[in-house]
Amino acid sequence: MMEHNLEHTISLLTRTPAALNALLRDLPEAWTFRNEGEDTRGEKSWSAFDVVGHLIHGERTDWMPRARMVLQFGETQTFESFDRWGHVRESQGKSLEQLLDEFARLRSENLGELRALNLRPEDLERRGRHPALGVVTLSELLATWAAHDLTHLHQISRVMAHQYREAVGPWSAYLGVLQCAGHSSP
Amino acid sequence: MMEHNLEHTISLLTRTPAALNALLRDLPEAWTFRNEGEDTRGEKSWSAFDVVGHLIHGERTDWMPRARMVLQFGETQTFESFDRWGHVRESQGKSLEQLLDEFARLRSENLGELRALNLRPEDLERRGRHPALGVVTLSELLATWAAHDLTHLHQISRVMAHQYREAVGPWSAYLGVLQCAGHSSP
């Protein structure tokens, strides 16, 4: 395991839009618009399309707005709660290809802004206040931005693999992704 | 869930090399060469680099060779066992960038060969013999080829996210990928 490294974080954040674009653009909708059904509480699970909408919503309302709050207000002001269903609004009436373009554009703008902050090691130790987690550091926030991309790439692979759960026949026993229980966050 | 659809399978198989290339090429080695440590049996887990080597090994020895065996010999001849550690040989002395190029080239050749077979629905029902799973169909084999890409994209996301397990601080509770137990196949 490694400590947080801002250049490593930016390297990863830079690549996610192109990776999702290469994986999802013009793929048959049977892969991208289907989900994993309803969970035990009857809540609709997400399709790859929903996930890209969610990533866009995060670019608009989560990562850089919170980073700015840490730098401006420290622990004195609590972050806005993130709306886990905010992507429904973002995605309405759009195609997956439009969402992929929008995600790439917003991510690029946000990374431009992040680089322009020229954060020094001591800035990364600055603290903010999360509505549920309490005190967090800017370093943790930025590391989470990168890990959050990976959690959703992990989810997209799982949701897509689920569509072939029956089609693979007895091989389902060997495919780790089909044993993954989802681990959805609260 | 959908039934197996050969065009959907090919659509996905076509995209995986470009998706991995966009995600991994020139990423710092801290992301791509680290693994998840040893498992409970002391067996070394895989890094993203190892996974790309494993995908190459599958292109050479698993998917199309088995498809040809089904079409030529049906159930009368058992598939060769797949060597889960065959990638070590494939990867030796190579850079990740070389492996990504090699994976893209082999996948493209194999898909050319698959398309040239002009498989009809009745061909997809033809049966072969797996050394552990017994009788399987060509349809199941090809669906598994696609789902196997997804299982390893799922794994790569998890292995990379693991590197930031500490760096994300209290957010680890919200990141599903960090709760994923691996579900490694036998």
Side-chain angles (χ1 to χ4, degrees), chain A residues 160-174:
Chain A
M160 287 172 59
H162 174 74
Q163 312 310 322
Y164 265 12
R165 190 176 289 277
E166 301 289 339
V168 299
W171 267 289
S172 59
Y174 287 1

Side-chain angles (χ1 to χ4, degrees), chain A residues 1-5 8-9 11-12 15 18-19 22-23 25-28 30-31 34 66 130 132-133 136 140-141 143-144 146-148 150-151 153-154 157-158 160-171 174-177 179-180 183 185-186, chain B residues 1-5 8-9 11-12 15 18-19 22-23 25-28 30-31 34 66 130 132-133 136 140-141 143-144 146-148 150-151 153-154 157-158 160-171 174-177 179-180 183 185-186:
Chain A
M1 268 178 280
M2 54 184 173
E3 289 191 17
H4 181 234
N5 175 309
H8 291 175
T9 294
S11 293
L12 183 71
R15 282 164 175 75
L23 182 66
R25 184 172 294 263
D26 300 326
L27 202 59
W31 287 120
R34 298 195 193 182
R66 287 180 171 187
H130 184 280
L133 300 171
V136 290
E140 288 165 349
L141 174 69
T144 302
H148 180 264
L150 294 170
T151 217
L153 187 57
H154 183 258
S157 328
R158 191 188 69 229
M160 287 172 59
H162 174 74
Q163 312 310 322
Y164 265 12
R165 190 176 289 277
E166 301 289 339
V168 299
W171 267 289
Y174 287 1
L175 292 163
V177 67
Q179 327 309 326
C180 181
H183 331 287
S185 58
Chain B
M1 268 178 279
M2 54 185 174
E3 291 190 14
H4 181 233
N5 176 310
H8 292 174
T9 293
S11 293
L12 183 69
R15 282 164 176 76
L23 182 67
R25 183 173 294 263
D26 300 325
L27 202 59
W31 287 120
R34 297 196 193 182
R66 288 181 170 187
H130 184 280
L133 300 171
V136 292
E140 288 165 351
L141 174 69
T144 301
H148 180 265
L150 294 169
T151 218
L153 186 59
H154 184 259
S157 328
R158 190 189 70 230
M160 288 170 57
H162 174 73
Q163 312 309 323
Y164 265 12
R165 189 176 291 276
E166 302 289 340
V168 300
W171 268 288
Y174 288 181
L175 292 164
V177 67
Q179 326 310 326
C180 181
H183 330 289
S185 58

